[in-house]
Amino acid sequence: MRVTVCDVGPRDGLQNESITLSPAVRAELCDRLVAAGVRAVEAASFVNPRLVPQMAGAEEVIAGAHRPAGAVLSGLVLNERGFERALAAGVDEIHYAFPMTDTFGRRNQNTTVAGGIETSHALVTRAREAGVPITVTLIVAFGCPFEGRVEPAHVLRVAEQVMQAPPDAVLVADTIGVGVPNQARELVRGLRELGATAGGHFHNTRNTGLANAVAALEAGAALLDASAGGTGGCPFAPRATGNIPTEDLVYMLHGMDVPTGIDLEALMDTSRWLAGHLGKELPAMVTRAGDFAPVSGLR
């Protein structure tokens, strides 16, 4: 069993922080993650900087980061304009996300579920023409802060329509951290039955993020998102807190004999470095407690 861990810290991890880090610092964060063995990094979000000022200078982040062989820097886009910016900036992979409820869609990116599906098809077509991989993430796939619980059957109906123009992968995102393992298991299994390479993006708002990651893995997830230090949150989702910490996820995976290729000690050093720039202790527990060699270690 092997899984790709994508660190979304430079994007999702920083987009809701009160301190805005410069593009140069965010590029260095990408470099440090790659140096620790993380081979997939969501480096920037190509959105309107007036709405999300923490993501200003996305092009500078991509230009300033270094990519050794095998490392992939992706950019999040929410529409065709963002896609064009990300492509021009030279990202290795496009990440497109859209919500599973109309209310969140209108507030988050001025769209609806139907509009999100339509944009997904258009972006997959354009990505294929450009020869760039594209992943589609279905956000608020477990619950919405405005419409409440989101049923797995609804998410899978949307995913079925997304798969009419299949992206390289489809992820389900627990944007506000309300999900539990049986939902994660059902959604990932359902995505795989639709023929998708499946993954999960979990937040730890209610302390279920790592449990959901294990359930997703057991159901066949090939991709798991996480954020160095456990930073994160959504500016448009009330009370949403951080992603599952990358170092906590890696410790758990190594202990389960699931290889990641990530150096946990180097990853923890990166988390401490980031905490210094943000001026606060970050939520990750493994960085506080340290590795436990008989359980974990580099794999």
Side-chain angles (χ1 to χ4, degrees):
M1 183 186 297
R2 191 176 183 93
V3 64
T4 296
V5 174
C6 178
D7 193 296
V8 298
R11 196 280 301 177
D12 197 5
L14 298 179
Q15 71 175 5
N16 208 35
E17 290 291 332
S18 58
I19 293 177
T20 298
L21 301 184
S22 70
V25 172
R26 285 149 52 202
E28 184 176 353
L29 173 57
C30 295
D31 286 351
R32 286 173 176 267
L33 290 168
V34 169
V38 180
R39 284 296 174 263
V41 176
E42 193 173 80
S45 178
F46 291 85
V47 295
N48 189 332
R50 292 193 301 273
L51 299 177
V52 189
Q54 297 90 333
M55 291 293 104
E59 287 84 355
E60 296 172 62
V61 175
I62 300 299
H66 300 86
R67 280 169 274 187
V72 172
L73 294 187
S74 58
L76 178 76
V77 308
L78 302 182
N79 49 42
E80 295 203 51
R81 171 60 182 144
F83 175 89
E84 291 162 2
R85 286 180 59 200
L87 208 60
V91 301
D92 301 306
E93 184 172 295
I94 298 290
H95 287 181
Y96 168 62
F98 73 97
M100 295 297 95
T101 67
D102 287 339
T103 305
F104 196 91
R106 293 189 186 97
R107 296 193 184 207
N108 185 64
Q109 59 204 76
N110 193 29
T111 191
T112 61
V113 176
I117 295 168
E118 183 179 353
T119 301
S120 173
H121 292 166
L123 294 186
V124 168
T125 299
R126 295 188 65 176
R128 295 286 175 258
E129 293 170 350
V132 177
I134 182 169
T135 289
V136 172
T137 299
L138 310 177
I139 65 176
V140 293
F142 293 71
C144 170
F146 312 111
E147 295 190 24
R149 176 180 165 87
V150 176
E151 296 297 333
H154 166 69
V155 177
L156 293 174
R157 282 194 296 270
V158 173
E160 185 175 15
Q161 295 177 73
V162 166
M163 288 297 291
Q164 290 173 8
D168 293 276
V170 180
L171 274 68
V172 284
D174 186 14
T175 310
I176 59 172
V178 295
V180 292
N182 63 313
Q183 288 174 285
R185 194 174 293 111
E186 181 177 355
L187 286 170
V188 169
R189 186 181 296 123
L191 289 177
R192 295 187 67 221
E193 289 172 354
L194 291 171
T197 296
H201 174 108
F202 302 108
H203 285 244
N204 209 34
T205 310
R206 290 163 179 82
N207 206 34
T208 58
L210 286 174
N212 291 336
V214 171
L217 188 66
E218 291 174 343
L223 306 162
L224 291 174
D225 285 353
S227 174
T231 55
C234 176
F236 305 99
R239 297 183 300 280
T241 55
N243 298 269
I244 55 174
T246 310
E247 54 264 55
D248 293 5
L249 175 64
V250 167
Y251 173 83
M252 182 182 70
L253 292 174
H254 288 182
M256 295 169 64
D257 289 324
V258 178
T260 66
I262 296 172
D263 184 329
L264 183 55
E265 290 293 340
L267 183 61
M268 290 190 290
D269 285 343
T270 297
S271 183
R272 296 184 189 102
W273 171 87
L274 179 59
H277 277 280
L278 295 175
K280 63 180 183 180
E281 186 176 43
L282 301 181
M285 299 186 74
V286 168
T287 299
R288 300 180 195 180
D291 194 4
F292 187 63
V295 173
S296 184
L298 175 62
R299 286 181 172 82

